[in-house]
Amino acid sequence: MKKNPLKISLIILILCLLLVTIIGCSKNRVDPPETINDPPNSQEEGDMVIDPEPEGQVVDIVLYFVNEEYVLTGSDKLKKILPIEREVTVGEKSLESIVLSELQKKPDDPNMSTALENIKILSVDTAENIAYVNLSGEKLSGGSLQEDLVLHQIVYSLTELKDIEAVQILVDGSKRETLMGHFLIEEPLKRQELGY
């Protein structure tokens, strides 16, 4: 009796399908894990509501702004910059960044102004009691008075913070000899060195 190769192939195929089906069905099904720490439903469990954006810490800072009377008269008897206390909220941004942002805003007092209004601040970092302020070189131009006021505002305001003793000014990420061509900024500046 001759064996039909078609029958044998068909039997082998059926056996393979049966084997795959048996193996597939015998594997344990894995149920998704149960969630152990489901957040409480505030409507069911009541009184606890979590704020998705928690408020930061409120801090008092001292900022220095340009004395307009000094700018108009040039009198050495007047102070170049004057302090203003301001309350700020520290959250995601560092306190140093907040100080510089606040310095760019015009003060409410019409007798004061800011020399930093049009200057782009790229970054500020602090290491070993020195704040590294990186300014964009785009709009850095002006006379000696403008440069002097910018340096005074930045250095005096940042050194009001307890962990900052000096400020290193950088332009586009690099040290420069001067900011606008008049005052040396190659080394970190301390408020005592600027004079008031």
Side-chain angles (χ1 to χ4, degrees), residues 43-62:
Q43 291 178 347
E44 290 175 10
E45 296 187 22
D47 57 352
M48 183 187 277
V49 177
I50 298 172
D51 186 0
E53 293 183 31
E55 291 184 18
Q57 180 182 4
V58 176
V59 177
D60 289 322
I61 58 174
V62 178

Side-chain angles (χ1 to χ4, degrees), residues 96 99-100 103 116 123-135 150-161 163-170 175 184-194:
E96 295 88 341
V99 166
L100 293 174
L103 283 176
L116 289 126
S123 65
V124 58
D125 297 296
T126 303
E128 298 178 6
N129 301 102
I130 298 173
Y132 293 84
V133 178
N134 187 15
L135 305 176
V150 167
L151 294 175
H152 271 81
Q153 276 195 264
I154 293 173
V155 173
Y156 269 74
S157 297
L158 285 174
T159 55
E160 280 286 337
L161 303 178
D163 295 330
I164 298 178
E165 296 171 4
V167 178
Q168 175 67 65
I169 304 290
L170 305 171
K175 284 186 179 182
L184 295 176
I185 60 166
E186 291 175 305
E187 298 299 322
L189 301 170
K190 296 183 178 179
R191 68 162 58 197
Q192 307 91 298
E193 297 166 351
L194 289 178

Side-chain angles (χ1 to χ4, degrees), residues 166-184:
V167 178
Q168 175 67 65
I169 304 290
L170 305 171
V171 178
D172 295 323
S174 302
K175 284 186 179 182
R176 289 234 180 130
E177 188 175 339
T178 67
L179 187 64
M180 298 177 191
H182 309 284
F183 297 96
L184 295 176

Side-chain angles (χ1 to χ4, degrees), residues 10-195:
L10 190 59
I11 293 172
I12 291 174
L13 181 63
I14 292 172
L15 287 174
C16 287
L17 288 173
L18 186 62
L19 187 60
V20 168
T21 305
I22 292 171
I23 291 173
C25 289
S26 68
K27 286 190 176 182
N28 292 335
R29 290 177 63 198
V30 178
D31 292 329
E34 292 181 26
T35 53
I36 297 170
N37 294 325
D38 284 338
N41 185 341
S42 60
Q43 291 178 347
E44 290 175 10
E45 296 187 22
D47 57 352
M48 183 187 277
V49 177
I50 298 172
D51 186 0
E53 293 183 31
E55 291 184 18
Q57 180 182 4
V58 176
V59 177
D60 289 322
I61 58 174
V62 178
L63 302 168
Y64 287 83
F65 287 96
V66 176
N67 181 356
E68 280 298 305
E69 189 178 353
Y70 171 80
V71 173
L72 293 172
T73 64
S75 173
D76 290 338
K77 294 178 183 176
L78 298 171
K79 294 182 177 182
K80 296 177 186 180
I81 53 174
L82 300 171
I84 293 178
E85 285 191 34
R86 203 172 275 178
E87 196 175 80
V88 295
T89 303
V90 181
E92 293 179 14
K93 290 173 71 174
S94 70
L95 187 54
E96 295 88 341
S97 295
I98 292 169
V99 166
L100 293 174
S101 294
E102 292 293 316
L103 283 176
Q104 292 186 294
K105 299 174 185 175
K106 287 183 179 180
D108 294 334
D109 188 335
N111 297 317
M112 295 185 199
S113 64
T114 180
L116 289 126
E117 188 175 14
N118 296 315
I119 294 176
K120 185 175 181 183
I121 299 166
L122 300 176
S123 65
V124 58
D125 297 296
T126 303
E128 298 178 6
N129 301 102
I130 298 173
Y132 293 84
V133 178
N134 187 15
L135 305 176
S136 170
E138 281 179 37
K139 296 181 180 178
L140 284 182
S141 62
S144 60
L145 178 60
Q146 175 74 12
E147 182 175 359
D148 190 28
L149 295 173
V150 167
L151 294 175
H152 271 81
Q153 276 195 264
I154 293 173
V155 173
Y156 269 74
S157 297
L158 285 174
T159 55
E160 280 286 337
L161 303 178
K162 69 175 185 172
D163 295 330
I164 298 178
E165 296 171 4
V167 178
Q168 175 67 65
I169 304 290
L170 305 171
V171 178
D172 295 323
S174 302
K175 284 186 179 182
R176 289 234 180 130
E177 188 175 339
T178 67
L179 187 64
M180 298 177 191
H182 309 284
F183 297 96
L184 295 176
I185 60 166
E186 291 175 305
E187 298 299 322
L189 301 170
K190 296 183 178 179
R191 68 162 58 197
Q192 307 91 298
E193 297 166 351
L194 289 178

